[in-house]
Every structure is written in C-alpha cells, then in structure tokens.
Amino acid sequence: QVHLQQSGPGLVNPSQTLSLTCAISGDSVSSNSATWNWIRQSPSRGLEWLGRTYFRSKWNNGYGESVKSRITINSDTSKNQFSLHLNSVTPEDTAVYYCADLDRAWGQGTLVTVSS
Amino acid sequence: QSVLTQPPSASGTPGQRVTISCSGSSSNIGRNTVNWYQQLPGTAPKVLIYRNDQRPSGVPDRFSGSKSGTSASLAISGLQSEDEADYYCAAWDDRLNGRWVFGGGTKLTVL
C-alpha cells in the first residue's frame, strides 16, 4: 500500500519559489509502473494538474501549460521522494497542494499561502 | 470551467442508489481511462475507482464505475450517511502535450 507524506512551508513570499516534497513509502520513486504527480486545489480553479515525473528506463517529466514556464519536478532516489518547485509565485498560486499517484494514493495536502 | 463536466450536486436517501455522471471528449475520456475520487470535508481526495471500474482494496463494492464513449458514471448503491462528500472524475487528456484533467466535482448530500 503506497503512502505519500508531504512536507514544506505553508507561507511563501510573492516572487519567491514554492517548494514542497513528497516522501514515498510502499513503493519506489523509480518504479517502472508508477507516475508521481503534483496537483493543486483552490475555490477559483478547482483541481488543477501541475505536472508529473516518472521513470521508464530514464527520467521523464511533464508539466501543465498554465505553470510550464515556472515549474520543476524532480526526484531523489536516495530519499525515495519527489519535489515540486514553482518559482515567481503570486497570490494566485495560493492553494492546497497535493502529491499523488493518481491511480493509488494522494498526500495529505499542504495549504500554501502566497503573501508578504 | 473544468474540462470534464459533472453535475454540481446530487442527493439520495439512505439505502438508495445514486449515479454521478462525468462528460468529456474524444481527447480525454474517449481515449483514456477514468478515475473517481471521494473528498470528505477538510481531507485529501481518496481514490475510489481507477481505470474506469477498478476498486482499490478497502473500497466497498457499493461503489462502481463505468465508461461509455466520452462519458463515465459513478454509481453508489446502498447509500450511507458517510458517503456525503464531494466526488471528482479525472482522465488523461491527450491535448497540449498531455495532462490530467478533472471534473468540477459533485457534492453528494445524503438526505
């Protein structure tokens, strides 16, 4: 049973970088069958897919169009985790952020507020 | 506006069967499988159905999913008070280099 545990700050200053980490238990971040996603949820945007990383003989990434120019998702095999980095944030990036394997499990969520 | 279309609300009485629809297009539901998620108030979404009709271990068989063409449905039989939650459908969309898309959610009320 895969379990995802998120960590990271709940408050980010405007123009700075939002960084969150998702620790995986019950599977490997370099599994050849899993994909690891970041999604956010806000009243104005609903559920919005941000991007994913996955390993299929090599690492692959895919990003949503709305954040494509600002987002990086990477993985750390030594810690069995993957991370989200979203730069140049504005108050519109305020949301609950989730990591997920969309076929199996979601993290607990992190409310991130962008404010000075 | 969400890419997948769900009714904003649904309701039923205990023991009843309710269905929630999810409408998409040829680039998402028409070509790819559908997942359903249950979100209880103040909690993270939980996988209810994946790949159209597969239930993770621990999900009661009162919950079932189906897909036909560019639409999908979630059925809940023997409705219980603890089923009161928001329900979301999701599918991979092949447009714009590929992305997951979601429905706007259906708030289920158990009367």
Side-chain angles (χ1 to χ4, degrees), chain B residues 41-97:
Chain B
T43 69
K46 166 190 164 184
V47 181
L48 209 57
I49 298 287
Y50 66 100
R51 295 181 193 170
N52 297 333
D53 57 9
Q54 302 298 299
R55 273 188 314 274
S57 61
V59 173
D61 60 6
R62 303 186 294 107
F63 295 91
S64 62
S66 63
K67 186 186 101 166
S68 178
T70 58
S71 295
S73 291
L74 172 71
I76 309 172
S77 59
L79 197 63
Q80 300 179 4
S81 58
E82 57 259 39
D83 298 334
E84 188 160 292
D86 293 326
Y87 293 85
Y88 296 90
C89 58
W92 182 257
D93 190 299
D94 291 332
R95 288 183 292 191
L96 297 175
N97 295 314

Side-chain angles (χ1 to χ4, degrees), chain A residues 20-38:
Chain A
L20 297 173
T21 296
C22 185
I24 303 164
S25 56
D27 200 355
S28 168
V29 70
S30 53
S31 160
N32 269 296
S33 58
T35 61
W36 308 106
N37 301 267
W38 286 99

Side-chain angles (χ1 to χ4, degrees), chain A residues 1 35 37 39 41 47-49 52 63-65 68 98 101-109, chain B residues 2 35 37 39 43-47 50-51 56-57 88 92 96-103:
Chain A
Q1 195 101 347
T35 61
N37 301 267
I39 299 106
Q41 184 175 31
L47 287 166
E48 179 185 14
W49 180 76
R52 66 179 184 174
Y63 300 127
E65 285 296 311
K68 194 175 181 180
Y98 295 100
D101 174 330
L102 286 167
D103 285 348
R104 293 188 293 173
W106 293 58
Q108 79 276 24
Chain B
S2 302
N35 290 357
Y37 305 102
Q39 187 173 33
T43 69
K46 166 190 164 184
V47 181
Y50 66 100
R51 295 181 193 170
S57 61
Y88 296 90
W92 182 257
L96 297 175
N97 295 314
R99 55 179 181 156
W100 276 92
V101 292
F102 294 88

